[in-house]
Amino acid sequence: LRAAQVVCATCVGTGSDVLEGFRFAGVLLDEASQVTESSSLVPLCRACDQLVLVGDQCQLPPTVASRAAIAAGAGEPLF
């Protein structure tokens, strides 16, 4: 992984111990309108220098199965 120019992962997957200690020059967050605010923070905690959000504000919102989580605002999209 250290020699890779690009690393692909889900937002939550970037929190894996495999990526511990990595610093990324950029993070591209695709389908950003379907990502919850809380899950989008995981790749940002990996010390990225630049964040690019790609998405369509007309897409479906994030899928959150828990009614309690939705009531607490956990289903809020980035935009």
Side-chain angles (χ1 to χ4, degrees):
L1 282 175
R2 296 244 179 247
Q5 292 183 352
V6 175
V7 176
C8 298
T10 63
C11 285
V12 174
T14 60
S16 169
D17 290 342
V18 173
L19 297 176
E20 188 67 37
F22 276 75
R23 180 176 183 80
F24 296 103
V27 170
L28 176 74
L29 215 152
D30 194 15
E31 304 291 349
S33 61
Q34 293 184 326
V35 176
T36 62
E37 288 182 356
S38 56
S39 64
S40 68
L41 293 175
V42 180
L44 299 180
C45 291
R46 288 292 183 197
C48 77
D49 296 327
Q50 183 178 25
L51 172 66
V52 177
L53 302 174
V54 179
D56 180 354
Q57 71 275 11
C58 295
Q59 286 181 327
L60 295 171
T63 302
V64 179
S66 168
R67 289 188 180 147
I70 291 170
E76 288 298 314
L78 286 173
F79 56 88

